[in-house]
Each structure stands twice: as structure tokens, then as C-alpha cells.
Amino acid sequence: MTASRASNSFEGMLLAVIFAMESCLSLASTSSGVPWMPLITIVAAPGNPNQTRAFLGPHKTPKKGHFSAAPHPSYPTDAVRKKIEGIGVFEVHFRCDGSVSHVAVFRSTGHWILDKECISTFKGWRCDPGSITWFRVPVRFAIETK
């Protein structure tokens, strides 16, 4: 099996696991004790890098903590032009005042341009002071197929 095929197989498996877990993903801890947010999917239209849509799980909202700022990452224009896709998981850690102390890459999307966009966006998130300490955010970047 080639490295590319192994990577695609792993990404497919990761996506399947994330979708299977989507029904229980929330800020409430899972059975492993790790807090998760619903999957964020960013979809770009082929040939039009300025036309993107973002989805947050299947109509879920966080159960604990209220966010005053939690924008979705944007699909970088260069990544859309180059048809770069990826799935990653990021850990967002909060200070007591509700601001983000740091963002860690738990599982890279496989492309620095996508990871950098997520890190930059998540650093701007804000929640109610003391309501959340940290959680993981799964993110999927996909080019829409016709």
C-alpha cells in the first residue's frame, strides 16, 4: 500500500469514526472523559474559492458554557485553488477569564495551511469566564463535488 493510499485510508477511517461519534459529541465529557465539540465542516465550491459554507454537527449547540465568540475557520483561498482537503482535531484551552490560552494540534489535517487557519480562528474564541477549561474540536475541510 502506498503512503498516499494509507493516508487516505486513515483519513477515511478517522472521518467515519468522527461521524459515528457525532451523535454524542458535545461539550459534555464522553465516556473517556475528554470533552468534545461537534464536528465543524467547511465546504468550498469548486472553481469559486470565495464561496464556502460551514456546518456545526447536526444542529447541535454546546451544553456547557456560552460562547461570546466562536467563529468557524475559513477555507483558505490558496487551499481551495489547490483542492487541498483535510480532517484534523484541535485542542482549545481556555483561561479563567474565558479567553483562549493556547490551541494545540491533536491530529493535523495534513496541511499546514489548514492547521494554521484553525489555530488562528480558535485563538479568537471566547466563552463565559470559568465555564470551560478545554475541549477538542474536530474540523473537516472539503471541496464540494458536483
Side-chain angles (χ1 to χ4, degrees), residues 45 51 92:
Q51 185 181 354
V92 182

Side-chain angles (χ1 to χ4, degrees), residues 20-143:
M21 291 176 60
E22 219 173 36
S23 62
C24 66
L25 293 179
S26 70
L27 280 179
S29 295
T30 61
S31 60
S32 67
V34 176
W36 286 81
M37 282 286 287
L39 173 69
I40 298 173
T41 301
I42 299 96
V43 180
N48 189 350
N50 297 321
Q51 185 181 354
T52 62
R53 298 183 316 249
F55 305 94
L56 178 62
H59 310 290
K60 293 185 180 192
T61 55
K63 293 182 179 176
K64 283 192 333 189
H66 298 277
F67 291 92
S68 57
H72 295 137
S74 298
Y75 214 130
T77 304
D78 287 345
V80 175
R81 282 193 193 114
K82 295 175 182 176
K83 298 182 179 174
I84 295 173
E85 298 179 303
I87 303 164
V89 180
F90 301 84
E91 289 185 355
V92 182
H93 297 258
F94 291 88
R95 294 182 185 95
C96 292
D97 67 0
S99 64
V100 172
S101 62
H102 69 280
V103 177
V105 178
F106 180 75
R107 200 285 186 183
S108 173
T109 61
H111 303 280
W112 173 241
I113 191 171
L114 301 179
D115 291 350
K116 187 170 85 170
E117 175 62 26
C118 290
I119 292 166
S120 173
T121 300
F122 297 149
K123 282 183 177 179
W125 282 19
R126 299 288 179 268
C127 68
D128 287 345
S131 62
I132 301 168
T133 55
W134 73 280
F135 55 81
R136 288 186 182 148
V137 185
V139 181
R140 176 179 178 236
F141 289 89
I143 304 293

